[in-house]
Amino acid sequence: MNDKLNVLHDLAIPFPISASFRHQARAYAAQYFAPNIQQRIYLNTLAVFVADAYFQILGFQTNLNRPERWNASQRLWSEANELELSGLGNLECCVIVKEQEKIILPSDISSNNIGYLFIEIADSEKEAMLIGFLADFDTEAANEEVKITDLQSMDDLIDYLSDKETSLIGQTQTAEIDDLSLEFTEKKITYLRNWLNNIYEGDWQPATRDLRNATCKKNIPLAGQIFKMQLSVSQNSEELVTVRVIVQSENTFLPMGMQVSVPDESDIYTKTVNESGDLIDIWLELSPNEEFWVELRLGETFVREYFIA
């Protein structure tokens, strides 16, 4: 065995094959008629169950529960070798034997393929070894021969999937930002810097103002009640705008369970009334021209006010 194979086996992951896995794999393989095909599908299905259990231990979300996935007549020529990692894509599970040097990639790969996972099944069928993987292999190379020494290790696979998760989170955050920008184009916006120039829009009533600070108030109807929202804006430098949000009830106390929320980078910051209180107070530090909103929520009813610093 050469050095690369030694490394792969040193980093391989042993995993037990339960009696339940064997029973389920036999039941699925029995839907096919040719004995040689049944045995191949049986082993590949064991590999899928092993991979599923392994990735669930690592905290990945998988999906093997769809009934149509295990109906051979609905899958036509596909043999159910793929493991779906939710949000990432499908790993094709390929069975290899001990000291195998080459493998032919399957031709019936699923859509959204992110790579191939190679697994040894022991002769006893009671243990498996997760050997390594190939990432994003060109689908046109299906039916081509690949050397086992070309595989990447299981450690590399975890790094690869972590990178894909990070990329997915970044894309999601970008989409959320795009959604926020679209939301702003459809709403009435209050420009806080106008307050510093003694310009006021809509129902906002000025309370105090000097050269660098301004405060305005507005009544907000919500769930049959009237709340008072006050925003104070100040700009002491070209890089930073400070905003203080105060929400009070027309009555003495805010209702229990009421929430006031603002965007906080890629998340949402919320304050909830959990005990008797007469106001909610939130401070924001924003860049000039940064978009944000303030949401008041009571039960299922909410209202948002939109601003640009």
Side-chain angles (χ1 to χ4, degrees), residues 151-165:
L151 302 187
Q152 293 176 270
S153 72
M154 291 303 297
D155 281 1
D156 294 328
L157 173 57
I158 302 307
D159 291 340
Y160 170 71
L161 294 176
S162 297
D163 288 344
K164 289 189 78 68
E165 279 192 321

Side-chain angles (χ1 to χ4, degrees), residues 56-187:
Q56 286 195 48
I57 289 173
L58 293 183
F60 289 92
Q61 295 292 321
T62 63
N63 189 351
L64 287 183
N65 298 322
R66 300 190 311 274
E68 66 273 12
R69 187 189 192 285
W70 301 109
N71 188 321
S73 63
Q74 291 187 27
R75 294 181 62 92
L76 298 177
W77 302 111
S78 175
E79 296 181 358
N81 298 342
E82 81 281 358
L83 173 67
E84 179 184 350
L85 301 179
S86 299
L88 299 177
N90 296 325
L91 275 175
E92 294 289 328
C93 297
C94 306
V95 173
I96 58 177
V97 299
K98 193 171 183 179
E99 299 194 12
Q100 182 173 340
E101 295 183 356
K102 297 178 181 179
I103 187 170
I104 296 177
L105 297 180
S107 58
D108 59 339
I109 64 171
S110 60
S111 61
N112 197 24
N113 180 50
I114 58 174
Y116 299 82
L117 177 62
F118 296 84
I119 300 175
E120 284 183 9
I121 304 293
D123 291 341
S124 67
E125 298 177 357
K126 295 182 178 180
E127 186 178 55
M129 293 285 288
L130 288 82
I131 299 297
F133 86 110
L134 287 175
D136 288 339
F137 207 89
D138 187 351
T139 56
E140 294 181 358
N143 288 325
E144 288 193 3
E145 200 171 63
V146 174
K147 295 180 180 178
I148 301 301
T149 51
D150 291 334
L151 302 187
Q152 293 176 270
S153 72
M154 291 303 297
D155 281 1
D156 294 328
L157 173 57
I158 302 307
D159 291 340
Y160 170 71
L161 294 176
S162 297
D163 288 344
K164 289 189 78 68
E165 279 192 321
T166 300
S167 175
L168 181 66
I169 291 171
Q171 292 171 10
T172 301
Q173 291 176 347
T174 299
E176 289 174 350
I177 292 171
D178 290 344
D179 288 344
L180 180 60
S181 298
L182 177 60
E183 186 176 359
F184 265 79
T185 64
E186 299 172 344
K187 303 295 181 181

Side-chain angles (χ1 to χ4, degrees), residues 222-285:
L222 175 66
Q225 301 184 48
I226 300 295
F227 298 93
K228 297 180 180 297
M229 183 186 294
Q230 174 180 299
L231 266 69
S232 299
V233 56
S234 61
Q235 185 171 10
N236 296 315
S237 72
E238 294 184 359
E239 292 80 24
L240 188 65
V241 177
T242 301
V243 177
R244 184 186 185 189
V245 180
I246 296 176
V247 175
Q248 296 174 290
S249 174
E250 191 177 42
N251 302 316
T252 305
F253 296 108
L254 292 170
M256 296 291 289
M258 181 178 180
Q259 295 181 325
V260 178
S261 302
V262 295
D264 180 18
E265 295 182 351
S266 62
D267 204 351
I268 295 175
Y269 176 72
T270 299
K271 277 193 172 182
T272 303
V273 179
N274 294 318
E275 56 186 23
S276 295
D278 59 356
L279 63 82
I280 285 180
D281 187 2
I282 299 177
W283 288 86
L284 298 169
E285 290 187 340

Side-chain angles (χ1 to χ4, degrees), residues 12-47:
I13 307 296
F15 206 94
I17 300 175
S18 68
S20 174
F21 287 175
R22 295 193 294 274
H23 175 75
Q24 293 178 75
R26 287 287 184 204
Y28 176 67
Q31 297 182 70
Y32 296 80
F33 299 106
N36 62 322
I37 295 177
Q38 284 185 353
Q39 182 63 11
R40 182 181 72 243
I41 291 173
Y42 166 69
L43 293 175
N44 283 336
T45 306
L46 284 182

Side-chain angles (χ1 to χ4, degrees), residues 180 184 188-192 195 229 231-233 241-245 261-264 282 284-287 289-295 304-309:
L180 180 60
F184 265 79
K188 183 177 180 179
I189 300 169
T190 300
Y191 293 82
L192 297 185
W195 295 358
M229 183 186 294
L231 266 69
S232 299
V233 56
V241 177
T242 301
V243 177
R244 184 186 185 189
V245 180
S261 302
V262 295
D264 180 18
I282 299 177
L284 298 169
E285 290 187 340
L286 306 165
S287 301
N289 300 315
E290 183 174 346
E291 300 170 340
F292 73 101
W293 44 258
V294 179
E295 178 184 284
R304 279 185 179 181
E305 292 285 328
Y306 297 84
F307 305 92
I308 291 181

